[in-house]
Amino acid sequence: MRVAGREVGPGQPALVIAEIGNNHDGSVHQAERLIDAAAEAGADAAKFQTHIAEAEMHPSTPTPPHFPEPRWEFTKRMELTLDEHRRLKAYAEDKGLLFFSSPFSVEAVELLEQLDVPLYKIASGEVTNPPLIEAIAATGKPVLLSTGMSGIEELEGAMAILRGAGSDVLIMQCTSNYPCPPEKVNLRAMPALGERFGTPYGLSDHTPDIHTSIAAVTLGASAIEKHFTLSKRLYGPDHHASLTPEELARLVDGIRQVEAALGSAEKTRDPGLDPARATFEKSVVTTVSIPEGGTIEREMLTTKRPGNGIAAVRLPEVVGRRAARAIGRNELVQEADLV
């Protein structure tokens, strides 16, 4: 897929997404501090969540165990106005970051469309919400589809809507535990989902560290999303499962190092290693003195370092040839020594 002029997919650097989500705690100032820190850490994008409580939930909606306050009240407090969204988008773009969001209602999509966001993220809990998916598909924007609460049949339903509208989709393996233990991540599902649906794939990672995200890149992940906070001790449900600025910087550095290390499937010899080859590889060496004109037999030869004589792999070629001069014991045999 192409996002704001950037190619996202196999063979391209992974899109590293700092999921600010609700960690701004309703404060635009704190959101700007998070954007600053994400940019400094080297992230590619800052992602938010766009909540309009009355449009997305009934006041009786149960509160998840990891929430510190009633869900309705929390969601109301997380609402950002159109102007606040516009301010944060401009701020993020000024820092060189993509700005986008996960909408949780059709009304939230309508708000984000007024900003002309470059892509959308469908959160795990919205995969079974056709009206929202249809609204996102109708925008024609690229879509990240999270899978944390879904089985294959539910994903097929969402993909049918998106494909029917011609949406470009990147599917993201996800496990909706906060935090998620490594044994529940199931990284192997990520390329399997990509193959099943014929899409690029990535990881929405809720583990408390960076290792699984780096491993995901080695398996071909085209996007990595991690929750991001200024401090794990701040108030809110997601901070404890989020990366700090220092951890995000380590993640970005690790991903870029791994991408550089992956290289290609072609095995070649590096000419720059020739000086080392001369030190570490071996040459043909005599085990006895050989008179001038003498025929060289196998038991007269061995191989020793350094590798600046006749290469050890050519030892069979030396056997049966005659000495052009008297060659002493324990000498490196050179081509000029043979006739």
Side-chain angles (χ1 to χ4, degrees):
M1 63 170 62
R2 191 168 184 84
V3 180
R6 172 183 175 146
E7 296 289 338
V8 178
Q12 302 297 325
L15 183 72
V16 180
I17 303 162
E19 161 68 301
I20 292 171
N22 297 315
N23 283 348
H24 53 77
D25 200 35
S27 165
V28 175
H29 175 65
Q30 183 157 310
E32 289 174 337
R33 290 180 60 206
L34 283 158
I35 290 170
D36 285 337
E40 290 172 9
D44 299 305
K47 191 188 83 67
F48 286 78
Q49 296 179 12
T50 300
H51 294 285
I52 303 173
E54 291 183 2
E56 74 180 68
M57 70 175 65
H58 189 272
S60 65
T61 301
T63 299
H66 66 288
F67 270 53
E69 63 184 284
R71 189 169 191 173
W72 171 267
E73 296 176 10
F74 176 82
T75 304
K76 285 291 292 182
R77 201 157 51 76
M78 293 306 107
E79 291 181 0
L80 297 171
T81 66
L82 173 62
D83 285 343
E84 288 170 333
H85 275 82
R86 185 175 284 116
R87 170 178 165 179
L88 293 174
K89 181 174 184 286
Y91 194 84
E93 291 174 347
D94 186 60
K95 300 293 180 178
L97 297 176
L98 288 172
F99 172 96
F100 69 109
S101 184
S102 295
F104 289 82
S105 63
V106 173
E107 289 85 345
V109 176
E110 293 169 351
L111 182 152
L112 291 168
E113 275 301 283
Q114 294 183 67
L115 306 178
D116 193 25
V117 292
L119 74 159
Y120 284 93
K121 164 81 181 296
I122 297 176
S124 294
E126 303 299 321
V127 172
T128 55
N129 184 3
L132 176 67
I133 298 171
E134 290 165 359
I136 291 174
T139 69
K141 306 287 178 61
V143 177
L144 306 183
L145 178 65
S146 194
T147 62
M149 299 181 184
S150 304
I152 288 295
E153 290 184 1
E154 294 163 330
L155 292 172
E156 286 177 340
M159 285 296 296
I161 296 171
L162 293 167
R163 281 189 168 141
S167 299
D168 288 332
V169 180
L170 186 152
I171 196 160
M172 301 192 77
Q173 167 63 359
C174 178
T175 306
S176 296
N177 295 77
Y178 299 85
C180 176
E183 60 270 19
K184 290 190 175 183
V185 173
N186 194 12
L187 283 178
R188 289 190 176 95
M190 184 181 62
L193 287 168
E195 182 177 359
R196 183 184 185 100
F197 292 108
T199 66
Y201 53 83
L203 179 68
S204 181
D205 185 7
H206 296 151
T207 62
D209 214 315
I210 67 174
H211 309 302
T212 51
S213 285
I214 293 175
V217 172
T218 71
L219 292 176
S222 294
I224 297 293
E225 179 189 63
K226 287 287 284 189
H227 280 267
F228 178 59
T229 183
L230 297 173
S231 170
K232 296 179 189 287
R233 297 181 179 180
L234 290 172
Y235 178 82
D238 295 331
H239 294 284
H240 67 293
S242 301
L243 297 185
T244 63
E246 296 78 11
E247 291 170 329
L248 181 62
R250 284 198 301 121
L251 172 64
V252 173
D253 181 61
I255 287 174
R256 300 308 177 214
Q257 287 196 46
V258 165
E259 288 173 335
L262 284 172
S264 69
E266 183 181 1
K267 177 61 179 173
T268 59
R269 186 177 71 81
D270 183 358
L273 294 177
D274 283 349
R277 285 167 62 94
T279 299
F280 285 95
E281 294 188 349
K282 296 183 177 180
S283 300
V284 177
V285 176
T286 56
T287 60
V288 296
S289 296
I290 303 173
E292 181 179 350
T295 298
I296 300 172
E297 300 176 3
R298 174 64 183 81
E299 59 268 21
M300 296 176 176
L301 304 173
T302 188
T303 58
K304 293 184 179 182
R305 291 175 178 161
N308 54 8
I310 294 176
V313 295
R314 294 182 56 208
L315 186 149
E317 301 173 21
V318 178
V319 175
R321 296 179 70 177
R322 289 184 296 110
R325 66 173 180 86
I327 307 173
R329 178 183 175 276
N330 201 34
E331 283 193 37
L332 272 72
V333 180
Q334 305 293 339
E335 192 64 40
D337 297 332
L338 305 173
V339 293

